[in-house]
Structures are given as C-alpha cells and as structure tokens.
Amino acid sequence: DSGVTQTPKHLITATGQRVTLRCSPRSGDLSVYWYQQSLDQGLQFLIQYYNGEERAKGNILERFSAQQFPDLHSELNLSSLELGDSALYFCASSVGIQETQYFGPGTRLLVL
Amino acid sequence: AQSVSQHNHHVILSEAASLELGCNYSYGGTVNLFWYVQYPGQHLQLLLKYFSGDPLVKGIKGFEAEFIKSKFSFNLRKPSVQWSDTAEYFCAVNIDTGRRALTFGSGTRLQVQP
C-alpha cells in the first residue's frame, strides 16, 4: 500500500458523459500527478499539481481538467467522454517536485 | 523531449533463471531513473531508483540496476527469478530540470514459469 488512495476503483459510463476521479496523496505530499494507462498509448503523463497550483501539463486533452484542493486532494474531470478514453487512470504523489512518485491503485474507466 | 525504450516486450523465463531487462533513454542532460513493477491487477510499485552516486543501485526483492551514462542505459537485473516476479516492468525517467513528470517506457511483461 503506497498511501495514495483513489476513488472510485471502477467506473462504467456512456459516451458523452462526464466523470470525476478523485485522488488523495500520501500524508505530507504536496505534489500530485495524473497518468493515463491504455493499451495503445501506454503510460502517459497528463497533468501535475503542486500545493494547489498547476505545475506541468502533458498529453492532456482539452476535454479533461484537474484541480488540487486546499486539503491537497486532487480531482480529474473527464467530459464528453469517448470510447477511446477507456483506460486506467493513475494518480501519484511526491513530497515535492523532485522526489520519488508513489502511485495509487488507479481508477479503471470503461466508456461504452 | 525525452523518450524511453524498452526493447523486450515479453520475456518468458523459468524459475531460477537470471533476468536482464533493457532500458535506454534519450536525453543528453542529467536524469533521474526508475524501475516500477506492476503485478497483475495492481498499481505501480517502485522497485528502485537512481538519482546520483553509485551507478549500481539495489532495490527491493533482489533487483538491481546499473546506470551506464555513456550508453544512456539503465538495465534491470535479478540473478534468480521466482514465479512471484511475474509482472510488468516499467522503466521511467525524469529530467533534472523543469517538469518532473515521469516518461515511461512501453513496459516489459515478464512471465516466470515454475
């Protein structure tokens, strides 16, 4: 158990819908990262927050957005969902910006 | 932008065989290197990491990796694998400046046969 928690574990929804994935970082970690793991794209970085502020963006679609709240938990919002958004979404956290990232158990999203 | 290559996509070994998984990265500057393991149905777990210092790093469960800067490589090794090592292994890199997000390789699926 890494100490990073993610909810829900599984999510099944329909195309066009919107979902919110939640991540709670390890106690004391200020930095949160979101990654997407799919069969065709592998593991890809989406976005990073540090102490409530967006720090870096990766291959994140405009339909996707995220935020980090004052209690440091983060949410990833996925809207206008398409079949191709079906994937495993991981959250990771680290103490600062330079330290090792620890991963949560992921949320498996299935878009039908 | 940096990239990471894992050339072995699927490796099948018998128990007690030795393991070496290749990882090469493309970036000319200072990098931090990681190996993560993903057991079936589970999340990514850190096996080992290299930030600086001794290029031979030891991780958990008997794994080690050697950073060879001249070859841009960070290969993972284990002298004797067990059935419980069956998993997918990911090499990852982040650069020492700017964005710290990890760039992952495509992964190597290791299957250990009893």
Side-chain angles (χ1 to χ4, degrees), chain B residues 13-19 78-83 85 112-114:
Chain B
L13 294 173
S14 298
E15 276 194 312
S18 64
L19 170 72
K78 186 171 184 179
S80 175
V81 295
Q82 301 172 326
W83 177 79
D85 293 325
V112 180
Q113 297 176 332

Side-chain angles (χ1 to χ4, degrees), chain A:
Chain A
D1 185 3
S2 66
V4 179
T5 60
Q6 289 186 248
T7 56
K9 275 191 169 179
H10 302 276
L11 200 48
I12 302 174
T13 188
T15 54
Q17 295 298 304
R18 173 190 167 94
V19 297
T20 297
L21 313 183
R22 182 189 169 104
C23 167
S24 293
R26 296 185 318 158
S27 177
D29 285 1
L30 300 178
S31 200
V32 170
Y33 306 77
W34 285 97
Y35 292 86
Q36 180 195 58
Q37 185 179 30
S38 62
L39 283 175
D40 53 346
Q41 299 287 332
L43 263 162
Q44 288 199 96
F45 165 67
L46 295 178
I47 196 164
Q48 177 200 0
Y49 279 82
Y50 176 75
N51 204 19
E53 294 190 5
E54 183 183 301
R55 186 76 185 189
K57 265 187 173 179
N59 297 323
I60 188 166
L61 300 172
E62 285 191 11
R63 300 183 284 110
F64 296 1
S65 64
Q67 52 184 327
Q68 186 179 27
F69 295 86
D71 67 352
L72 301 177
H73 91 271
S74 177
E75 292 180 356
L76 179 66
N77 301 296
L78 315 177
S79 61
S80 303
L81 285 167
E82 302 175 359
L83 296 177
D85 297 327
S86 295
L88 197 51
Y89 291 84
F90 285 110
C91 165
S93 74
S94 62
V95 173
I97 299 170
Q98 301 186 21
E99 286 73 28
T100 302
Q101 295 175 35
Y102 294 90
F103 283 76
T107 293
R108 187 173 295 277
L109 173 67
L110 180 58
V111 182
L112 300 175

Side-chain angles (χ1 to χ4, degrees), chain B:
Chain B
Q2 68 270 28
S3 65
V4 180
S5 297
Q6 292 181 245
H7 304 294
N8 314 103
H9 297 295
H10 191 190
V11 173
I12 302 174
L13 294 173
S14 298
E15 276 194 312
S18 64
L19 170 72
E20 180 159 2
L21 301 182
C23 172
N24 289 90
Y25 64 93
S26 63
Y27 182 72
T30 304
V31 293
N32 300 319
L33 297 153
F34 306 82
W35 276 98
Y36 284 87
V37 60
Q38 188 175 29
Y39 297 102
Q42 295 191 27
H43 62 285
L44 290 157
Q45 298 176 41
L46 181 68
L47 268 181
L48 47 77
K49 61 186 178 185
Y50 173 80
F51 281 15
S52 64
D54 188 343
L56 184 62
V57 292
K58 295 193 184 299
I60 61 171
K61 306 186 181 190
F63 287 91
E64 65 178 31
E66 185 175 13
F67 170 52
I68 303 179
K69 190 174 182 180
S70 61
K71 294 186 178 180
F72 299 89
S73 71
F74 190 55
N75 292 353
L76 181 71
R77 300 194 291 248
K78 186 171 184 179
S80 175
V81 295
Q82 301 172 326
W83 177 79
S84 57
D85 293 325
T86 295
E88 189 146 18
Y89 293 80
F90 293 91
C91 181
V93 60
N94 67 15
I95 60 176
D96 200 35
T97 58
R99 194 181 89 177
R100 292 292 183 153
L102 294 168
T103 298
F104 284 90
S106 55
T108 297
R109 182 163 301 192
L110 172 65
Q111 186 178 344
V112 180
Q113 297 176 332

